[in-house]
Amino acid sequence: MKSKKKSTVQLTFNDGWSYDPAPESKDHIRLKEQYELFIDGKFVRPESGKYFDTVNPATEKKLASIAEAGDKDVDLAVRAARKSYTGAWGKMPAKERGKYIYRIARILQERARELAVIESMDGGKPIRESRDIDVPLAAAHFFYYAGWADKLPYAVPGQLPTSIGVAGQIIPWNFPLLMAAWKIAPALAAGNTVVLKPAETTSLTALKLAEIIQEADLPPGTVNIITGAGATGAGIVQHAGIDKIAFTGSTEVGKLIQKGLAGTGKRYTLELGGKAANIIFEDAAIDQAVEGIVNGIFFNQGHVCCAGSRLFVQESVMKTVVRKLKDRMETLIVGDPLDKNTDIGAINSRMQLNKIKQYLKIGVNEGGTMYQSACAVPTKGFWCRPTLFTDVSQSSRIVQEEIFGPVLTIQSFRTIEEVIEKANNIPYGLSGGVWTDKGSKIFKVTNQLRAGVIWANTYNKFDPTSPFGGYKESGVGREGGLHGLMPYLQHA
Ligand code: NAI
Ligand code: MG
C-alpha cells in the first residue's frame, strides 16, 4: 500500500511505505458515565459514597467513574455470596449449574466485539489481541468449565468432591476479562459463589461481565463484582466470611496476602510475577524464533507475567539473532490500540510507564547497551517503544527483576548446562521457552527449568485445558484445566 499522505497517526517505515489507519469502530459502544457495584444481582451505589476515574491510557481521557467499595460494601458482597451459597446456587443440581455457565460463555461470544473494544479502550492493549485472544479465550474458559459442573466425581475419581464456599478473587490489569474468566468459571463449576475485584485501572469489562451474569439470570449473589483499589482487595482477603482467596498480581502483594492468611484456615492460590527465559539454540529455525521472541516480550506491551523477558542466545548465532530481531523491531507499530495494524498498544497506566522508564535508566546505568526502535509514538498517552538491552550480566537488576513492559534483555551462552543454570538463577519460575530442532534438547530443558509452563518452538500459547502456575516466588497453585478445578473443591 503506497501512500504519501501525512497524518498524525500515519506511520512510515524505513523503506518508505506505510499503512493507512484502520481503526475499529467505537460507534456500537455505550459506556455509562458512572458504574456501580454489582452485589446480590443488582447494581448498587457504594455505601462508601466514593468513586474514582478510569482513563483511556492511549488518550489520557476519562472513560467513566467507578464505584469504590469500602469495608461495608465488601461485607454486603460477601453476605450476598454466602446467601446464594447456602441457598439457590448451593442447592442447585450440578447439571443446572453447568447450563448457567454455558449461558455466560454464549453471551460473551455474542458481545465479543463490544467487549474487545472496551478492553482496548480501558486497558490499552491492541484490538487484534483483545479481539483474537482475550475475549475468545475468556468464552472458552466458561465453555470448558461448564462441562465440568456435572462431572465433578470424575475429576476426583473414587470420591464425591464438594464445593468450598465463598471465593474472594482479586485480579490484575493485564488481561482483565480473561483473568475474571480464569477465576469465576472454575469456582462456579465446582459449586462455589464469588466476590471478585478487578484492578482499579481496568474495571470496565468486569462490570460488563456483571451485566452478562445478570442477563444470564444467575441466582442473585452467586457472582458479586466489586470495584476499588488495594484497600478493597485487602478488605476481601481479611473478611471472615471468605473461604478461599485466588489472587493474580505482583509478588509483593502476593506475599502480603500470604502473610495475612497464615493461620486463618482460608485456602489460597497465588499467581504472581515472572521473568521467563526464552532460550534459542544454534540449530533453531532462526526466523521462526525471532517471531517467537517478539511475541514473547512485545505481546500486550510486555504486560504479561509469563513474558519471555530474558533472552538467551547460543553464542554462534548471537549476531544473527540480534540483527534479525532489530530489523523486526523496526517494523513493529506502536500506537492507537483500536487500530487493527497496531502491534504494541498503550502502557496501562502512568504509574506503570514510570516504572518501566525507571528500569530503562537502571539498565543504562548498570552498563547495558539499550536499543529502541525508531518508530513514532503519539504525543498524548502512555507509550514505550520496543526495547532491548545487550551487554547485561546475570546480576543486572533488569535481568533479575520483573519490569512488566516491552523490555528484553539478551545474554549469550555456550552449553546447555550453562543456560539452564542461568535461566534458573532467579527468584521467579512461571514460564520459559526453548527453540531448537532437537527433541532431546527440548526434553532436557523442559525437565530442568524450574518453571510451571515451558513452550517449545512457540510462545504465549494458552488453552483452557492446560494448567498454568508458578514455582518459587511466581506463586502457589495452578489455574486452568483439571488442576484449576482442584483449589475450588473439598477432597481428600
Ligand atoms: P498489584 O499486585 O498491586 O495489583 C493487582 C491486584 O491486587 C489489583 O486488583 C489491586 O487492586 C490488588 N491489590 C493491591 N494491593 C492489595 C492488597 N494489599 N491486598 C489485596 N489486593 C491488593 O499490582 P500493580 O501495583 O498494579 O502492579 C505492580 C507490578 O506488579 C507490575 O509492575 C508488575 O511487575 C506486577 N504485576 C504482575 C502481574 C501478574 O500477572 N503476575 C499482574 C499485575 C502486576
Ligand atoms: Mg483504564
Side-chain angles (χ1 to χ4, degrees):
M1 222 185 308
K2 282 215 181 268
S3 165
K4 289 201 175 102
K5 269 190 316 203
K6 280 247 154 29
S7 83
T8 47
V9 281
Q10 196 184 26
L11 294 143
T12 307
F13 295 113
N14 292 345
D15 54 1
W17 63 277
S18 59
Y19 289 104
D20 278 339
E24 173 70 45
S25 163
K26 291 186 287 193
D27 297 349
H28 58 296
I29 303 304
R30 301 274 170 275
L31 287 179
K32 290 184 210 155
E33 265 172 38
Q34 183 170 305
Y35 283 88
E36 312 297 349
L37 306 171
F38 184 62
I39 297 177
D40 207 12
K42 293 183 289 290
F43 287 93
V44 295
R45 285 172 168 271
E47 295 279 334
S48 74
K50 291 188 194 156
Y51 291 84
F52 59 95
D53 292 350
T54 191
V55 302
N56 180 337
T59 61
E60 299 177 51
K61 282 197 187 127
K62 177 178 169 179
L63 291 168
S65 294
I66 309 282
E68 183 182 325
D71 286 346
K72 208 159 172 212
D73 301 299
V74 171
D75 187 53
L76 288 171
V78 175
R79 282 173 195 278
R82 177 66 57 193
K83 194 190 70 191
S84 175
Y85 182 68
T86 52
W89 190 252
K91 297 201 172 110
M92 190 183 288
K95 195 175 73 186
E96 296 305 312
R97 254 187 359 242
K99 291 181 193 168
Y100 282 96
I101 308 172
Y102 271 119
R103 207 180 282 174
I104 297 172
R106 289 224 293 272
I107 306 175
L108 277 172
Q109 285 186 321
E110 279 164 26
R111 292 176 62 173
R113 190 155 158 246
E114 175 194 1
L115 291 163
V117 172
I118 295 173
E119 199 73 306
S120 284
M121 287 169 70
D122 200 20
K125 65 172 60 199
I127 186 74
R128 265 199 340 247
E129 282 172 18
S130 41
R131 182 194 63 193
D132 299 345
I133 297 168
D134 295 66
V135 178
L137 258 184
H141 273 82
F142 280 101
F143 276 122
Y144 172 75
Y145 282 110
W148 273 116
D150 62 350
K151 300 174 194 69
L152 298 179
Y154 300 95
V156 195
Q159 297 183 34
L160 281 176
T162 54
S163 55
I164 290 176
V166 177
Q169 308 182 319
I170 298 160
I171 58 172
W173 39 263
N174 52 348
F175 292 90
L177 182 68
L178 182 57
M179 287 302 109
W182 276 30
K183 299 277 183 283
I184 295 174
L188 293 184
N192 304 282
T193 59
V194 166
V195 176
L196 175 124
K197 189 195 87 65
E200 53 272 35
T201 54
T202 53
S203 308
L204 289 177
T205 46
L207 292 162
K208 286 279 154 190
L209 180 60
E211 289 175 13
I212 288 170
I213 284 164
Q214 204 178 35
E215 193 183 327
D217 211 18
L218 266 76
T222 307
V223 176
N224 305 274
I225 296 184
I226 58 175
T227 42
T232 308
I236 296 175
V237 172
Q238 284 154 14
H239 197 289
I242 293 280
D243 300 299
K244 184 224 153 39
I245 288 290
F247 172 79
T248 300
S250 61
T251 295
E252 191 191 349
V253 173
K255 285 181 181 175
L256 276 177
I257 291 178
Q258 205 169 17
K259 279 184 197 147
L261 291 180
T264 64
K266 289 177 196 167
R267 297 189 182 200
Y268 59 87
T269 43
L270 307 171
E271 203 260 278
L272 311 175
K275 191 78 184 174
N278 206 359
I279 302 170
I280 319 288
F281 286 98
E282 59 192 2
D283 57 17
I286 299 293
D287 289 330
Q288 196 185 321
V290 166
E291 280 310 300
I293 299 164
V294 166
N295 175 34
I297 184 64
F298 301 134
F299 169 54
N300 199 23
Q301 298 70 252
H303 296 337
V304 186
C305 43
C306 51
S309 49
R310 288 184 298 151
L311 179 64
F312 290 95
V313 184
Q314 202 156 17
E315 209 172 69
S316 56
V317 291
M318 180 75 165
K319 268 203 181 123
T320 315
V321 169
V322 172
R323 179 177 48 81
K324 288 189 179 225
L325 186 56
K326 284 180 177 173
D327 285 351
R328 181 67 177 99
M329 281 165 69
E330 286 302 333
T331 68
L332 294 174
I333 300 174
V334 181
D336 182 3
L338 287 181
D339 193 312
K340 286 164 233 156
N341 296 321
T342 294
D343 297 299
I344 300 183
I347 300 300
N348 182 264
S349 65
R350 185 183 297 282
M351 208 174 88
Q352 188 60 23
L353 180 60
N354 289 342
K355 179 180 166 186
I356 296 167
K357 282 184 176 162
Q358 212 180 334
Y359 272 108
L360 298 184
K361 264 194 212 141
I362 292 169
V364 172
N365 289 342
E366 281 178 325
T369 305
M370 182 169 87
Y371 174 85
Q372 286 190 310
S373 73
C375 69
V377 297
T379 43
K380 267 268 181 211
F382 315 132
W383 313 96
C384 182
R385 292 186 181 86
T387 306
L388 69 81
F389 274 96
T390 49
D391 303 313
V392 294
S393 68
Q394 189 64 21
S395 59
S396 304
R397 280 186 64 193
I398 55 167
V399 168
Q400 288 289 325
E401 297 172 20
E402 184 181 53
I403 301 174
F404 229 59
V407 183
L408 179 69
T409 61
I410 308 188
Q411 294 167 269
S412 66
F413 69 93
R414 287 186 181 168
T415 66
I416 192 166
E417 289 74 22
E418 177 195 352
V419 76
I420 288 169
E421 190 173 328
K422 280 182 170 166
N424 281 334
N425 181 8
I426 192 115
Y428 296 111
L430 193 57
S431 60
V434 50
W435 300 80
T436 170
D437 201 26
K438 286 262 181 299
S440 59
K441 280 188 205 160
I442 293 176
F443 285 123
K444 184 154 179 165
V445 170
T446 50
N447 277 326
Q448 295 191 14
L449 273 195
R450 307 257 306 141
V453 180
I454 300 162
W455 288 286
N457 295 329
T458 187
Y459 208 90
N460 272 340
K461 289 275 181 284
F462 294 94
D463 185 285
T465 64
S466 306
F468 184 88
Y471 282 54
K472 300 191 273 185
E473 294 192 16
S474 289
V476 191
R478 294 291 177 265
E479 295 185 296
L482 177 56
H483 294 71
L485 202 56
M486 294 304 163
Y488 291 99
L489 288 174
Q490 305 271 11
H491 55 93

